[in-house]
Amino acid sequence: MITIKGLNKVFTAKDRNITAVDNLTLDIKEGEIFGVIGYSGAGKSTFVRLLNRLEEPTGGNITIDNQEITALNTKQLRAARQEIGMIFQHFNLLWSRTVADNIAFPLEIAGVPKSERQKRVQELIELVGLAGREHAYPSQLSGGQKQRVGIARALANKPKVLLCDEATSALDPETTNSILDLLVDINEKLGLTVILITHEMHVIRKICNQVAVMEDGKIVEQGDVLDVFLRPKQPVTRKFVEQVMGVNDEDEGIDHLIGTYEHGKLLRLHFIGETTNQALISQVSKKFNIEVNILQGKITNTQRGAYGTLFVQVIGESQEISQAVGFITEETSVEVEVIHDAE
């Protein structure tokens, strides 16, 4: 659906060059929600603006739905942009226009007849959950409602791709979740390819299928969201995972656990996908002559399934404990790590 090869963007400021996007190559499949995450200055917002040429690339090429965006002239680009919707962090609404008129604006520019515009606007108002607010002005709306208007406006021309540049950063957590749920609903109903730019890992965790991590204009890590959460390779990725899982607090707590429990083995269990719902502790306790004490743990969810970490103390004969660990390792998809052996 989207193929990006060797994409570069260099800005010139005060007689020096600043590389915002550095030789970026990426493939995004049709119909998926693809997340791009990075801290401020990583180049992610510049990257998303290059996709519809709100910023002109210094080098490289972008192909969307078999059309090379970087090769289009001004007239061709104007037509191509109708198939690339975009929503922004600060909404970018027309404050002198009502909700309905804001949504209708891109249809007016495209020359869509009034009766057809009105029908399309009403469909979109229903889709984004703004029924009854058609005649309200932006100043009369909450932040979440403003973003819903922005989403409806971006969908007006029935685009194939929806670009979201920090679309939830200005919203409170509850409103953020409602907007993310709406994006998932739109993705499923319309089959849109969604590219989501953010600096918040919980946004990636909640709705994205794939994620690319940006740092200094480069993609430093990429993959399935669940895989990246489970096995982050780069320091910047591990920091983002800590936002959601509190890994630092967890690891600091290991020393406390080791110092507190003087018998048996301390195990760290990594649950992935469906295994998070299995009654594993009960099953192992019944099958083997051991005592299992749950010490602490945390489970979170991604689009591909849940995963989590559980710390347990196992008390019993060494042979029984070894058999129990072997059973978990061989008969389930739970990963086992012995972090302390007090025997």
Side-chain angles (χ1 to χ4, degrees):
M1 175 61 177
I2 301 176
T3 301
I4 302 158
K5 294 182 179 178
L7 189 64
N8 286 284
K9 178 62 182 180
V10 179
F11 293 99
T12 300
K14 295 182 180 179
D15 299 323
R16 69 187 185 97
N17 291 334
I18 300 171
T19 302
V21 175
D22 189 357
N23 196 30
L24 190 150
T25 296
L26 196 62
D27 286 306
I28 299 172
K29 296 178 182 177
E30 183 176 3
E32 75 178 353
I33 303 179
F34 192 100
V36 178
I37 190 167
Y39 288 111
S40 179
K44 58 190 186 297
S45 289
T46 300
F47 161 67
V48 79
R49 291 170 64 85
L50 289 170
L51 294 181
N52 57 5
R53 284 178 55 188
L54 288 178
E55 293 283 357
E56 286 294 335
T58 307
N61 59 70
I62 301 162
T63 302
I64 299 178
D65 197 26
N66 297 316
Q67 184 176 46
E68 188 177 341
I69 300 299
T70 39
L72 302 179
N73 61 35
T74 302
K75 183 178 180 181
Q76 292 168 331
L77 179 60
R78 191 178 299 118
R81 280 178 175 160
Q82 292 186 13
E83 296 190 339
I84 308 172
M86 188 166 187
I87 57 177
F88 305 88
Q89 178 180 359
H90 297 296
F91 321 125
N92 288 13
L93 301 182
L94 300 170
W95 295 89
S96 61
R97 282 177 167 247
T98 64
V99 167
D101 289 340
N102 263 283
I103 298 171
F105 186 62
L107 297 171
E108 293 175 24
I109 294 174
V112 176
K114 185 175 181 179
S115 60
E116 193 175 330
R117 287 203 309 265
Q118 291 174 335
K119 180 182 178 182
R120 178 64 177 156
V121 167
Q122 196 55 45
E123 289 174 355
L124 291 166
I125 285 173
E126 296 290 338
L127 178 66
V128 301
L130 286 174
R133 304 295 285 164
E134 294 91 333
H135 304 297
Y137 288 89
S139 61
Q140 299 170 311
L141 303 176
S142 67
Q145 289 172 328
K146 290 172 187 172
Q147 194 56 284
R148 287 172 186 269
V149 177
I151 292 170
R153 181 185 58 189
L155 298 175
N157 282 312
K158 300 181 179 180
K160 296 176 181 177
V161 176
L162 180 63
L163 308 178
C164 308
D165 187 9
E166 297 280 10
T168 60
S169 295
L171 307 174
D172 62 71
E174 184 176 350
T175 306
T176 291
N177 285 333
S178 70
I179 294 298
L180 294 177
D181 289 340
L182 175 59
L183 290 174
V184 171
D185 186 52
I186 289 169
N187 169 256
E188 292 174 350
K189 286 181 178 176
L190 305 181
L192 277 177
T193 303
V194 180
I195 300 177
L196 188 70
I197 305 298
T198 185
H199 65 276
E200 299 170 304
M201 198 61 170
H202 73 88
V203 171
I204 299 291
R205 172 191 64 80
K206 186 174 175 65
I207 72 168
C208 294
N209 311 115
Q210 296 279 318
V211 60
V213 182
M214 285 192 72
E215 186 176 32
D216 296 328
K218 296 182 173 71
I219 290 179
V220 296
E221 191 161 351
Q222 179 190 346
D224 180 278
V225 170
L226 183 55
D227 291 338
V228 170
F229 261 74
L230 286 169
R231 301 173 187 88
K233 297 178 177 64
Q234 300 296 322
V236 65
T237 312
R238 288 194 287 270
K239 287 181 181 179
F240 281 123
V241 172
E242 287 165 13
Q243 289 182 0
V244 177
M245 291 301 288
V247 176
N248 275 346
D249 294 340
E250 175 186 281
D251 286 348
E252 288 170 5
I254 293 174
D255 291 337
H256 170 72
L257 293 176
I258 291 173
T260 302
Y261 297 94
E262 300 178 353
H263 303 287
K265 285 184 170 65
L266 296 184
L267 308 180
R268 174 160 40 190
L269 308 179
H270 293 283
F271 293 79
I272 307 169
E274 294 179 358
T275 59
T276 53
N277 297 319
Q278 292 179 1
L280 180 65
I281 302 302
S282 174
Q283 186 180 2
V284 170
S285 297
K286 291 176 181 177
K287 190 174 184 66
F288 300 96
N289 187 25
I290 57 173
E291 179 183 341
V292 182
N293 299 317
I294 298 175
L295 307 180
Q296 68 182 47
K298 185 171 184 178
I299 292 175
T300 191
N301 290 292
T302 70
Q303 277 293 92
R304 211 186 87 188
Y307 82 97
T309 301
L310 191 65
F311 290 89
V312 298
Q313 178 194 31
V314 184
I315 299 173
E317 295 292 333
S318 294
Q319 186 176 355
E320 284 288 313
I321 295 175
S322 296
Q323 289 177 352
V325 170
F327 169 78
I328 296 171
T329 303
E330 296 168 13
E331 302 297 329
T332 77
S333 61
V334 175
E335 298 178 7
V336 184
E337 178 186 357
V338 178
I339 61 172
H340 182 62
D341 188 347
E343 298 299 324

Coordinates of all heavy atoms in Angstrom, one line a residue, residues 79-121:
A79 N -4.9 16.5 -6.6 CA -5.9 15.4 -6.7 C -5.5 14.2 -5.8 O -6.4 13.6 -5.2 CB -5.9 14.9 -8.2
A80 N -4.2 13.9 -5.7 CA -3.8 12.8 -4.9 C -4.1 13.0 -3.4 O -4.4 12.1 -2.6 CB -2.3 12.5 -5.1
R81 N -4.0 14.2 -3.0 CA -4.2 14.6 -1.5 C -5.6 14.3 -1.1 O -5.9 14.1 0.1 CB -3.8 16.0 -1.3 CG -2.3 16.2 -1.1 CD -2.1 17.7 -0.9 NE -0.7 18.0 -0.6 CZ -0.1 19.1 -0.8 NH1 -0.8 20.2 -1.3 NH2 1.2 19.3 -0.5
Q82 N -6.6 14.2 -2.0 CA -7.9 13.9 -1.7 C -8.1 12.5 -1.2 O -9.1 12.2 -0.5 CB -8.9 14.2 -2.9 CG -9.0 15.6 -3.3 CD -10.0 15.8 -4.4 OE1 -10.8 15.0 -4.7 NE2 -10.0 17.0 -4.9
E83 N -7.1 11.7 -1.5 CA -7.1 10.3 -1.0 C -6.2 10.1 0.2 O -6.0 9.0 0.7 CB -6.7 9.3 -2.1 CG -7.7 9.4 -3.3 CD -7.4 8.3 -4.3 OE1 -6.3 7.7 -4.3 OE2 -8.3 7.9 -5.0
I84 N -5.7 11.2 0.8 CA -4.9 11.1 2.0 C -5.4 12.1 3.0 O -5.2 13.3 2.9 CB -3.4 11.5 1.6 CG1 -2.9 10.7 0.5 CG2 -2.5 11.3 2.9 CD1 -1.5 11.1 0.0
G85 N -6.2 11.6 3.9 CA -6.7 12.5 5.0 C -5.7 12.7 6.1 O -4.8 11.9 6.3
M86 N -5.9 13.8 6.8 CA -4.9 14.1 7.9 C -5.6 14.8 9.0 O -6.4 15.7 8.9 CB -3.8 15.0 7.4 CG -2.6 15.2 8.3 SD -1.1 15.9 7.5 CE 0.0 15.8 8.9
I87 N -5.3 14.4 10.3 CA -5.8 15.0 11.5 C -4.6 15.5 12.3 O -3.5 14.9 12.3 CB -6.7 14.1 12.3 CG1 -6.0 12.8 12.7 CG2 -8.0 13.8 11.5 CD1 -6.9 11.9 13.6
F88 N -4.8 16.6 13.1 CA -3.7 17.3 13.7 C -3.9 17.3 15.2 O -5.0 17.1 15.7 CB -3.6 18.7 13.2 CG -3.4 18.8 11.7 CD1 -4.6 18.8 10.9 CD2 -2.2 18.8 11.1 CE1 -4.5 18.9 9.5 CE2 -2.1 18.9 9.7 CZ -3.2 19.0 8.9
Q89 N -2.8 17.6 15.9 CA -2.8 17.7 17.4 C -3.8 18.8 17.9 O -4.5 18.6 18.8 CB -1.4 18.0 17.9 CG -1.3 18.1 19.4 CD 0.1 18.4 19.9 OE1 1.0 18.4 19.1 NE2 0.2 18.5 21.2
H90 N -3.7 19.9 17.2 CA -4.5 21.1 17.7 C -5.7 21.4 16.8 O -6.2 22.5 16.6 CB -3.6 22.3 17.8 CG -2.5 22.2 18.8 ND1 -2.8 22.0 20.1 CD2 -1.2 22.1 18.7 CE1 -1.7 21.9 20.8 NE2 -0.7 21.9 19.9
F91 N -6.2 20.3 16.1 CA -7.5 20.3 15.4 C -7.6 21.1 14.1 O -8.1 20.6 13.1 CB -8.6 20.8 16.3 CG -8.5 20.3 17.8 CD1 -8.5 21.2 18.8 CD2 -8.3 18.9 18.1 CE1 -8.4 20.8 20.1 CE2 -8.2 18.5 19.4 CZ -8.2 19.4 20.4
N92 N -7.0 22.3 14.1 CA -7.0 23.1 12.9 C -8.4 23.3 12.2 O -8.5 23.3 11.0 CB -6.0 22.5 11.8 CG -4.6 22.7 12.2 OD1 -4.2 23.0 13.3 ND2 -3.7 22.4 11.2
L93 N -9.3 23.6 13.1 CA -10.7 23.8 12.6 C -10.9 25.3 12.2 O -10.1 26.2 12.6 CB -11.7 23.5 13.7 CG -11.7 22.0 14.2 CD1 -12.8 21.8 15.3 CD2 -11.8 21.0 13.1
L94 N -11.9 25.6 11.4 CA -12.3 26.9 11.0 C -13.2 27.4 12.1 O -14.4 26.9 12.1 CB -12.9 26.9 9.6 CG -11.9 26.4 8.5 CD1 -12.7 26.3 7.2 CD2 -10.8 27.4 8.3
W95 N -12.8 28.4 12.9 CA -13.6 28.8 14.1 C -14.9 29.5 13.7 O -15.8 29.6 14.5 CB -12.7 29.6 15.0 CG -11.6 28.8 15.5 CD1 -10.4 28.6 15.0 CD2 -11.6 28.0 16.7 NE1 -9.6 27.8 15.7 CE2 -10.4 27.3 16.8 CE3 -12.6 27.7 17.7 CZ2 -10.1 26.5 17.8 CZ3 -12.3 26.8 18.7 CH2 -11.0 26.2 18.8
S96 N -15.0 30.1 12.5 CA -16.2 30.8 12.1 C -17.2 29.9 11.4 O -18.3 30.4 11.0 CB -15.8 32.0 11.1 OG -15.2 31.4 10.0
R97 N -16.9 28.6 11.3 CA -17.8 27.7 10.7 C -18.3 26.7 11.7 O -17.6 26.3 12.7 CB -17.0 26.9 9.6 CG -16.8 27.7 8.3 CD -16.1 26.8 7.3 NE -16.1 27.4 6.0 CZ -16.7 26.9 4.9 NH1 -17.3 25.7 5.0 NH2 -16.7 27.5 3.7
T98 N -19.5 26.2 11.5 CA -20.1 25.2 12.3 C -19.5 23.9 12.1 O -18.7 23.7 11.2 CB -21.6 25.1 12.0 OG1 -21.8 24.6 10.7 CG2 -22.4 26.4 12.2
V99 N -19.9 22.9 12.9 CA -19.4 21.5 12.8 C -19.6 21.0 11.4 O -18.7 20.5 10.7 CB -20.0 20.6 13.8 CG1 -19.8 19.1 13.5 CG2 -19.5 20.9 15.2
A100 N -20.9 21.2 10.9 CA -21.3 20.7 9.6 C -20.5 21.4 8.5 O -20.0 20.8 7.5 CB -22.7 20.9 9.3
D101 N -20.3 22.7 8.6 CA -19.6 23.5 7.6 C -18.1 23.1 7.6 O -17.4 23.2 6.5 CB -19.8 25.0 7.8 CG -21.2 25.4 7.5 OD1 -21.9 24.7 6.8 OD2 -21.6 26.5 8.0
N102 N -17.5 22.9 8.8 CA -16.1 22.4 8.8 C -15.9 21.1 8.1 O -15.0 21.0 7.3 CB -15.6 22.3 10.3 CG -14.9 23.5 10.8 OD1 -13.7 23.7 10.5 ND2 -15.6 24.3 11.6
I103 N -16.8 20.2 8.3 CA -16.7 18.9 7.6 C -16.9 19.0 6.1 O -16.3 18.3 5.3 CB -17.7 17.9 8.3 CG1 -17.4 17.7 9.7 CG2 -17.7 16.6 7.5 CD1 -18.5 16.9 10.5
A104 N -17.8 19.9 5.7 CA -18.1 20.1 4.3 C -17.1 20.8 3.5 O -17.0 20.8 2.3 CB -19.5 20.9 4.2
F105 N -16.1 21.5 4.3 CA -15.2 22.4 3.6 C -14.3 21.7 2.5 O -14.2 22.2 1.4 CB -14.3 23.0 4.6 CG -13.3 24.1 4.1 CD1 -13.8 25.2 3.4 CD2 -11.9 23.9 4.1 CE1 -12.9 26.1 2.9 CE2 -11.1 24.8 3.6 CZ -11.6 25.9 3.0
P106 N -13.7 20.5 2.8 CA -13.0 19.9 1.7 C -13.8 19.4 0.5 O -13.4 19.3 -0.6 CB -12.3 18.7 2.4 CG -13.1 18.5 3.7 CD -13.6 19.8 4.1
L107 N -15.1 19.2 0.8 CA -16.0 18.8 -0.3 C -16.3 20.0 -1.2 O -16.5 19.8 -2.4 CB -17.3 18.2 0.3 CG -17.2 16.9 1.1 CD1 -18.5 16.6 1.8 CD2 -16.7 15.8 0.2
E108 N -16.4 21.2 -0.5 CA -16.6 22.4 -1.3 C -15.4 22.6 -2.2 O -15.6 22.9 -3.4 CB -16.8 23.6 -0.4 CG -18.1 23.6 0.5 CD -18.1 24.7 1.4 OE1 -17.4 25.7 1.2 OE2 -18.8 24.6 2.5
I109 N -14.2 22.5 -1.7 CA -13.0 22.7 -2.5 C -13.0 21.7 -3.7 O -12.5 22.0 -4.8 CB -11.8 22.5 -1.6 CG1 -11.7 23.6 -0.6 CG2 -10.5 22.5 -2.4 CD1 -10.6 23.5 0.4
A110 N -13.4 20.5 -3.4 CA -13.4 19.4 -4.5 C -14.6 19.6 -5.5 O -14.6 18.9 -6.5 CB -13.5 18.1 -3.8
G111 N -15.5 20.6 -5.2 CA -16.5 20.9 -6.2 C -17.7 19.9 -6.1 O -18.4 19.7 -7.1
V112 N -17.9 19.3 -4.9 CA -19.0 18.3 -4.8 C -20.3 19.1 -4.7 O -20.4 20.1 -3.9 CB -18.8 17.5 -3.5 CG1 -20.0 16.6 -3.3 CG2 -17.5 16.7 -3.6
P113 N -21.4 18.7 -5.4 CA -22.7 19.4 -5.4 C -23.2 19.5 -3.9 O -23.0 18.6 -3.1 CB -23.6 18.6 -6.3 CG -22.6 17.9 -7.2 CD -21.4 17.6 -6.4
K114 N -24.0 20.5 -3.7 CA -24.5 20.8 -2.3 C -25.3 19.7 -1.7 O -25.1 19.3 -0.6 CB -25.3 22.1 -2.3 CG -25.8 22.5 -0.9 CD -26.5 23.8 -0.9 CE -26.9 24.2 0.5 NZ -27.6 25.5 0.5
S115 N -26.2 19.1 -2.5 CA -27.1 18.0 -2.0 C -26.2 16.8 -1.6 O -26.5 16.1 -0.6 CB -28.1 17.6 -3.0 OG -27.5 17.2 -4.2
E116 N -25.2 16.5 -2.4 CA -24.3 15.4 -2.1 C -23.4 15.7 -0.9 O -23.2 14.8 -0.1 CB -23.4 15.1 -3.3 CG -22.7 13.8 -3.3 CD -21.9 13.5 -4.6 OE1 -22.4 14.0 -5.6 OE2 -20.9 12.8 -4.5
R117 N -23.0 17.0 -0.8 CA -22.2 17.4 0.4 C -23.0 17.2 1.7 O -22.5 16.6 2.7 CB -21.8 18.9 0.3 CG -20.8 19.2 -0.7 CD -20.1 20.5 -0.4 NE -21.0 21.6 -0.1 CZ -21.3 22.5 -1.0 NH1 -20.9 22.4 -2.3 NH2 -22.1 23.5 -0.7
Q118 N -24.2 17.6 1.7 CA -25.1 17.5 2.9 C -25.3 16.1 3.3 O -25.2 15.7 4.5 CB -26.4 18.2 2.6 CG -26.3 19.7 2.5 CD -27.6 20.3 2.1 OE1 -28.5 19.7 1.5 NE2 -27.8 21.6 2.5
K119 N -25.5 15.2 2.3 CA -25.7 13.8 2.6 C -24.4 13.2 3.2 O -24.4 12.5 4.2 CB -26.0 13.0 1.4 CG -26.2 11.5 1.6 CD -26.6 10.8 0.3 CE -26.7 9.3 0.5 NZ -27.0 8.6 -0.8
R120 N -23.2 13.5 2.6 CA -22.0 13.0 3.1 C -21.6 13.5 4.5 O -21.2 12.8 5.4 CB -20.8 13.4 2.1 CG -19.4 12.9 2.5 CD -19.3 11.4 2.6 NE -18.0 11.0 2.9 CZ -17.7 9.8 3.4 NH1 -18.6 9.0 3.7 NH2 -16.4 9.5 3.7
V121 N -21.9 14.8 4.7 CA -21.6 15.4 6.0 C -22.5 14.7 7.1 O -21.9 14.4 8.2 CB -21.9 16.9 6.0 CG1 -22.0 17.5 7.4 CG2 -20.9 17.7 5.2

